[in-house]
């Protein structure tokens, strides 16, 4: 989808906020710990290249993405730092991986066995352990011992990292976290010796578990200024939300009592009401469940009324405002602030999904001096 630049709806990303969040986290790390910025899914909707560049400036020494295309986007932008692909990459693409100096996650013993067969030039890998996420990674002692044999005997496979991913690091309950810890300790015993990077820490593990056993932190959600636990756990330092979603009033009228608004005519005016139309809808990621959510105009909150359309939605105001008046869906507007978290709760999801769901139709603009 091409960005709609001639329409006044946009995502504004505060690069200073990202820089601040990265620096705050780095300040908490010791000198031997590095921070890799996680910029998968177009930087959680914020723009992968721009976020990567500011994160590197703020002290990140590498980047994580979820697939090879995302890694190549960073290389094409001229970014030179290590890029680790966190998920599966088919070994059919090994020449592209090598040409672009990409680091791969080894997701299974089978994958590693295939690599052992086809490798002709050095490739850097981080071996993933499934300690209790049930997603990718080596599971069980036998596969780890078999992996060790391959890694010990193939000099072309550069065994640079050993890692795992916690399923519940954002939770108050430590039960499953402890199970995963003990399993990863087993993996460390078998495979950990002399490996440059040991890493277990997503944002939640970094924030609330002291980046357990990690000399590298994979910092995602919190870098964007969002709390990975939602509201379950308190941030150890105040995170700054980088994302603003804003639009403008494109139409306003005063409807009489008893008029209907939107598809299905689900809203009816209770008296004379000022109703404004906004040029943003579910095709932008403002899903239909945002019906009723309060956006901010001139420092006051007003509800989205009627069903959200594909490209437009309507709000109810107390007074007439001129066409062109700014409307803040997420972010600061005078003394009012809408967190992405509040929107996520309103529609019954997590903050990650809200920013990732903002589509390419919304132009991304960048502010900040860092
Ligand atoms: C997405 C992801 C991260 C980053 O997680 P956040 O909660 O956003 O910090 C880290 N590690 C892996 C394996 C991931 O898939």
């Amino acid at each position: 989808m091409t960005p709609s630049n001639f329409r006044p709806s946009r995502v504004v990303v505060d690069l200073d906020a990202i820089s601040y969040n990265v620096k705050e986290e780095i300040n908490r790390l010791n000198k031997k710990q590095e921070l890799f910025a996680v910029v998968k899914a177009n930087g959680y909707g914020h723009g992968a290249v721009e976020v990567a560049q500011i994160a590197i400036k703020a002290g990140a020494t590498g980047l994580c993405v979820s697939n090879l295309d995302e890694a190549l986007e960073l290389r094409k932008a001229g970014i030179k730092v290590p890029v680790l692909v966190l998920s599966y990459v088919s070994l059919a693409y090994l020449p592209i991986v090598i040409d672009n100096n990409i680091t791969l996650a080894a997701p299974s013993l089978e994958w590693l066995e295939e690599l052992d067969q086809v490798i002709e030039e050095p490739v850097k890998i981080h071996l993933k352990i499934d300690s209790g996420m049930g997603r990718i990674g080596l599971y069980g002692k036998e596969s780890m011992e078999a992996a060790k044999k391959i890694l010990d005997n193939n000099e072309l496979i550069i065994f640079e990292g050993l890692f795992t991913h916690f399923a519940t690091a954002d939770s108050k309950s430590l039960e499953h976290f402890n199970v995963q810890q003990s399993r990863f300790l087993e993996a460390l015993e078998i495979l950990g010796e002399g490996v440059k990077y040991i890493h277990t820490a997503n944002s939640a593990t970094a924030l609330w578990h002291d980046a357990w056993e990690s000399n590298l932190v994979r910092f995602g959600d919190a870098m964007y200024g969002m709390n990975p636990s939602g509201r379950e756990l308190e941030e150890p330092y105040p995170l700054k939300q980088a994302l603003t979603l804003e639009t403008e009033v494109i139409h306003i009228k005063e409807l009489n009592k008893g008029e209907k608004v939107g598809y299905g005519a689900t809203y009816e005016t209770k008296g004379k009401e000022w109703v404004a139309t906004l040029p943003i809808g579910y095709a932008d990621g403002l899903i239909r469940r945002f019906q009723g959510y309060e956006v901010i105009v001139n420092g006051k909150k007003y509800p989205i009324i009627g069903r959200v359309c594909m490209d437009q939605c309507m709000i109810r105001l107390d007074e007439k405002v001129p066409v062109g008046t700014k409307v803040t869906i997420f972010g600061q507007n005078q003394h009012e602030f809408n967190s992405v978290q509040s929107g996520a709760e309103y529609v019954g999801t997590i903050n990650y999904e809200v920013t990732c769901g903002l589509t390419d139709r919304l132009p991304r603009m960048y502010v900040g001096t860092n």
Side-chain angles (χ1 to χ4, degrees), residues 38 40 44 64 66 86 128 135 163-165 201-204 218-222 224 228 352:
V38 182
K40 63 194 181 191
Y44 296 34
C64 297
S66 78
L86 294 169
K128 179 78 181 272
R135 193 166 65 177
F163 75 116
T164 197
H165 192 54
N202 54 0
S203 295
R218 308 184 300 266
F219 204 52
D221 204 49
Y224 303 96
Y352 298 71

Side-chain angles (χ1 to χ4, degrees), residues 128-258:
K128 179 78 181 272
I129 304 299
D130 179 9
S131 57
M133 175 79 178
R135 193 166 65 177
I136 59 166
L138 274 70
Y139 174 67
K141 235 174 166 176
E142 275 170 30
S143 67
M144 292 177 211
E145 274 155 4
K148 172 132 178 75
K149 271 197 193 125
I150 295 172
L151 295 167
D152 283 347
N153 291 307
N154 193 327
E155 282 172 13
L156 292 175
I157 305 176
I158 304 167
F159 179 28
E160 190 195 65
L162 182 67
F163 75 116
T164 197
H165 192 54
F166 287 115
T168 60
D170 58 348
S171 161
K172 277 183 186 153
S173 161
L174 292 177
E175 198 183 329
H176 189 61
F177 188 82
N178 291 338
V179 170
Q180 290 200 259
Q181 283 180 311
S182 64
R183 290 192 184 158
F184 190 66
L185 286 175
E186 264 179 34
L188 271 179
E189 219 161 86
I190 300 168
L191 287 151
E193 205 185 298
V195 182
K196 180 175 177 190
Y197 291 118
I198 305 291
H199 49 113
T200 71
N202 54 0
S203 295
T205 309
L207 294 177
W208 297 299
H209 303 279
D210 218 12
W212 181 75
E213 285 288 336
S214 300
N215 58 9
L216 187 166
V217 165
R218 308 184 300 266
F219 204 52
D221 204 49
M223 171 172 69
Y224 303 96
M226 299 188 289
N227 181 330
S229 79
R231 296 186 203 269
E232 181 160 344
L233 297 170
E234 201 183 323
E235 302 150 12
Y237 52 95
L239 296 165
K240 286 190 185 159
Q241 179 176 309
L243 184 134
T244 292
L245 176 60
E246 62 184 29
T247 183
E248 291 174 8
V249 169
I250 54 156
H251 182 91
I252 183 160
K253 64 168 79 75
E254 192 174 35
L255 292 176
N256 287 321
K257 184 177 178 182

